[in-house]
Each structure stands twice: as structure tokens, then as C-alpha cells.
Amino acid sequence: MEYHIHIVCDGDSVHIDGLPGGPDSLKLPDSIVRGVTMIWDLVESRVREADCICIGGIGYTGDTLTIAAFDIWVQAGEEGYFLPMDISAKLFSENGIPYFHSPFMS
């Protein structure tokens, strides 16, 4: 099954929303948690007022959860913005997160 998901990271925790059964229904793979945490560290080092990032993507459920991300939202106080697509794609690529707009390889 395919679901639109959001992975939220604030430096203290990483969680996923949008899966059937709620955020505790499937555990995020450790590689995704490490990648999201590294992206947060990079964003936070450049955007001091950042509160969290939210990575939008598609989650494919089955025996294991597979994720393909498509954007990064940076929340800073009451305001927020999407990172440009080329920056998001590079951050995903450098941190082991499949990018939805690239051909999906299973």
C-alpha cells in the first residue's frame, strides 16, 4: 500500500505521520532516522531559528516500510518554507534517503 507521509524531526525526536494505524504502526528504518537526523543537523547549523523540519514523501508498506521523500519543510517560529528542490534532492542523496522524483529502485 502507498501512503502520503510526513517525517518530523526537531533534534530530539524523529516520528512519522500519515500511516494507517497511527505513528506507532510501523517503525522507521534506522537508516531513515539517521538520514533525517543528519539533514536536521545540517539545516539547523544554517538556519538558527529552525524549530523542526518536516520531510514529505510516500511510504510503501509491506514486510518493511520503504520511503521515498519529495520535499523538506523548515519550520521557524510562526513561519516556514520549503527548501528548493535541488537542495532537497542533494540532502536526500547525501544522507541515504531515496528521492521520489528519481527512478524508484527496489
Side-chain angles (χ1 to χ4, degrees):
M1 299 293 293
E2 177 181 296
Y3 301 93
H4 287 266
I5 58 157
H6 292 99
I7 302 170
V8 179
C9 179
D10 63 5
D12 293 324
S13 65
V14 175
H15 72 273
I16 186 169
D17 293 319
L19 290 173
D24 297 325
S25 61
L26 287 173
K27 182 179 182 292
L28 278 168
D30 290 339
S31 61
I32 298 293
V33 172
R34 283 190 303 273
V36 170
T37 301
M38 182 58 79
I39 291 170
W40 163 253
D41 290 343
L42 292 167
V43 169
E44 183 187 35
S45 71
R46 290 170 176 80
V47 184
R48 295 285 181 196
E49 64 275 7
D51 296 321
C52 68
I53 58 170
C54 180
I55 295 176
I58 303 292
Y60 301 94
T61 59
D63 292 338
T64 60
L65 175 63
T66 303
I67 301 221
F70 52 75
D71 61 25
I72 301 173
W73 174 265
V74 178
Q75 185 68 40
E78 297 294 317
E79 302 291 322
Y81 56 91
F82 287 102
L83 291 181
M85 222 178 197
D86 59 334
I87 293 172
S88 294
K90 184 174 181 177
L91 287 169
F92 295 143
S93 172
E94 291 175 350
N95 292 287
I97 298 175
Y99 182 46
F100 183 76
H101 299 287
S102 297
F104 184 68
M105 307 292 271
S106 56

